[in-house]
Amino acid sequence: MIKQEELRINIDRLVGSLRQLGDIGALAGGGVCRLALTDEDKAGRDLLSTWMRELDLDIKTDELGNMVGIRKGRQSVPPVLIGSHLDTVGTGGLYDGSLGVLAGLEIMRILDEFQIATERPLAIANFTNEEGVRFTPDMMGSLAFSGIVAASEMLSAKTVDGSGKTVGEELTRIGYAGAIPCGTFEVDSFLELHIEQGPLLEEEGVDIGAVSMVQGIYWTEYQFTGSSNHAGTTPLHLRRDAGLVAAATATFVRQLALKMGGDQVGTVGLIELFPNLINVMAERARIIVDLRNTDAQALAQAQQLLEAEIELLAAAEKIAFEKTELVRFPPVQFDREIVAVIEKVSEDLGYSHKKMPSGAGHDAQMLAPICPTAMIFVPSVGGISHNIEEFTKRSDIEKGANVLLQAALRLLNRPLD
Ligand code: HGY
Ligand code: MN
Ligand code: MN
């Protein structure tokens, strides 16, 4: 009988599952698009359900479509949960989210293969709409799973593109509107393996990130209204150009981050102009501003400075505007003991490791309020993500999944309180 500390994942099988999942929503030029609650997301969910059934997992789906597969433990106590998300951004890669779910599945496969019984049950989760690009907020499923927000509020969320479809309608359409109320699933502890999506681990030649916290995230939508007019005949002083204010705001966001320094970052990733024509001044402009910082006070201050600037820009161009707060997530600290387990396991496996914050939002930040939680990062080649070039080396996937396996075993078998 193999000793549990000698168990290692089967990297061929894990990479095979990543590739098979990656065929779903594959983009012609490479990369993947499985926007939340689309047919492609459904197909990914169906594949995961098949794999979960092959392992005889007890599959539970809650009212927001969060999927959990449970493997029995000797004790009937809350499970150790491993999870992430199968939805992607529109120009996604093979690894963002998928790695965390499929590495959990691989651990289930290994435990079955070596007939390993664990004290606590082990469960794996696929959380609905982590990316937040089709429906806001991001981390929507895990937010409701943890009971932080009411599922009903999330079910009525409408698509960002204005098509008017709601989360509830799309969940029903793809057959993943579960019966289990959100906020009722008890979890012992939570682990998430994820690609770093930034350059630090690769730059420093470190194998594993023991993630200590997730930075705060603010998403705010601004609708600017001016007046359309001829781009050639209208004198400058008579222009009320909504596109100008949108563009000036995007420029200000970068200047603000540079001026504030520290961990302040920001971008305007979504800009829509109407009528969006070469020789017509925009009557309307819609932008969504993404501000982030590890420091809650600094982030709030950045938002205040942004709003003061928008007031000035709009007044100067005689533009009206409306503001909608889409996301206000504070920074989240992970559980010190679990971070220490990740560091110790990395040490025991002979992998270099470093404690680090997460620049991206993750489902783990929504589990942290309800159970001891931490994350494991593996390097992203070139620090690239949310891009079809996203790539993580097979050897790094193997190391990350082995750390996840061994950390999970420690949590699964630690003495019951
Ligand atoms: O926005 C984020 O950081 C995550 O990818 N949803
Ligand atoms: Mn992700
Ligand atoms: Mn992402």
Side-chain angles (χ1 to χ4, degrees):
M1 181 76 163
I2 187 170
K3 289 197 192 112
Q4 293 198 15
E5 57 272 21
E6 290 165 0
L7 280 173
R8 300 293 180 267
I9 61 111
N10 177 328
I11 185 60
D12 290 334
R13 185 169 53 196
L14 175 52
V15 168
S17 299
L18 280 165
R19 288 215 179 98
Q20 194 175 341
L21 175 65
D23 287 343
I24 298 175
L27 295 166
V32 177
C33 175
R34 288 195 302 272
L35 294 180
L37 310 183
T38 58
D39 292 342
E40 293 74 22
D41 185 18
K42 169 180 170 42
R45 289 164 172 267
D46 292 348
L47 180 59
L48 179 63
S49 301
T50 303
W51 283 335
M52 283 181 168
R53 279 195 297 276
E54 284 169 0
L55 293 165
D56 290 328
L57 300 186
D58 173 13
I59 303 174
K60 296 183 181 308
T61 304
D62 72 15
E63 57 191 322
L64 218 64
N66 294 308
M67 301 165 68
V68 180
I70 306 160
R71 180 180 191 267
K72 278 192 180 9
R74 289 196 195 93
Q75 311 287 338
S76 304
V77 294
V80 171
L81 182 61
I82 290 174
S84 197
H85 59 94
L86 296 185
D87 70 300
T88 73
V89 294
T91 51
L94 284 185
Y95 310 95
D96 177 356
S98 304
L99 176 59
V101 178
L102 298 188
L105 190 78
E106 171 53 28
I107 290 171
M108 294 281 197
R109 290 167 169 165
I110 283 289
L111 296 181
D112 276 9
E113 203 170 310
F114 289 89
Q115 293 156 359
I116 305 281
T118 58
E119 280 309 302
R120 292 174 176 77
L122 173 64
I124 56 172
N126 165 38
F127 293 110
T128 295
N129 185 31
E130 188 277 346
E131 292 296 0
V133 293
R134 186 173 181 227
F135 301 95
T136 59
D138 55 349
M139 286 74 76
M140 178 188 274
S142 45
L143 198 58
F145 178 86
S146 303
I148 301 172
V149 293
S152 55
E153 190 188 329
M154 299 293 106
L155 290 168
S156 60
K158 287 196 167 62
T159 52
V160 171
D161 68 5
S163 72
K165 289 187 183 125
T166 66
V167 167
E169 288 161 355
E170 287 292 273
L171 267 175
T172 304
R173 184 181 68 80
I174 67 169
Y176 279 90
I180 297 172
C182 287
T184 59
F185 194 96
E186 260 200 286
V187 182
D188 169 81
S189 48
F190 180 74
L191 286 171
E192 182 171 5
L193 170 64
H194 205 287
I195 52 173
E196 177 201 338
Q197 300 181 290
L200 301 182
L201 290 174
E202 183 184 57
E203 271 174 7
E204 298 178 23
V206 173
D207 298 323
I208 297 291
V211 186
S212 54
M213 61 112 41
V214 177
Q215 65 179 345
I217 307 174
Y218 282 12
W219 285 359
T220 313
E221 178 189 72
Y222 294 92
Q223 304 256 18
F224 299 113
T225 307
S227 60
S228 275
N229 213 325
H230 194 293
T233 58
T234 314
L236 289 181
H237 70 283
L238 295 180
R239 295 186 177 209
R240 296 180 56 229
D241 187 343
L244 172 76
V245 175
T249 301
T251 307
F252 176 78
V253 164
R254 170 63 68 87
Q255 289 163 347
L256 176 66
L258 290 168
K259 199 164 141 211
M260 288 183 70
D263 289 335
Q264 185 58 43
V265 291
T267 200
V268 174
L270 181 149
I271 294 189
E272 290 167 347
L273 299 182
F274 177 81
N276 203 31
L277 299 171
I278 300 170
N279 55 2
V280 180
M281 267 177 291
E283 175 186 341
R284 294 195 305 275
R286 174 179 175 236
I287 65 171
I288 298 182
V289 182
D290 180 321
L291 296 180
R292 307 199 190 198
N293 200 312
T294 54
D295 178 318
Q297 276 65 40
L299 183 55
Q301 191 204 4
Q303 184 66 31
Q304 276 172 355
L305 292 168
L306 170 70
E307 300 199 350
E309 180 68 13
I310 288 176
E311 292 282 355
L312 293 175
L313 290 168
E317 191 70 12
K318 298 186 189 58
I319 293 278
F321 69 90
E322 282 174 31
K323 173 186 108 168
T324 308
E325 294 184 3
L326 299 174
V327 166
R328 289 291 184 270
F329 295 149
V332 171
Q333 299 296 330
F334 287 139
D335 182 273
R336 283 206 185 92
E337 282 176 33
I338 299 197
V339 174
V341 166
I342 292 167
E343 290 177 299
K344 177 77 174 66
V345 160
S346 301
E347 200 71 28
D348 292 351
L349 287 166
Y351 304 154
S352 56
H353 55 89
K354 69 172 276 176
K355 216 185 286 192
M356 61 190 289
S358 172
H362 296 288
D363 292 311
Q365 72 190 86
M366 304 309 173
L367 274 284
I370 66 165
C371 68
T373 293
M375 291 185 76
I376 301 157
F377 273 175
V378 288
S380 292
V381 171
I384 294 170
S385 182
H386 283 190
N387 178 312
I388 63 171
E389 302 300 326
E390 177 182 286
F391 182 70
T392 290
K393 289 182 198 138
R394 173 198 168 86
S395 55
D396 287 332
I397 292 171
E398 185 169 22
K399 289 173 186 169
N402 280 330
V403 170
L404 182 68
L405 167 60
Q406 287 300 322
L409 284 169
R410 303 217 183 170
L411 298 178
L412 284 160
N413 297 317
R414 74 192 193 284
L416 290 161
D417 299 337

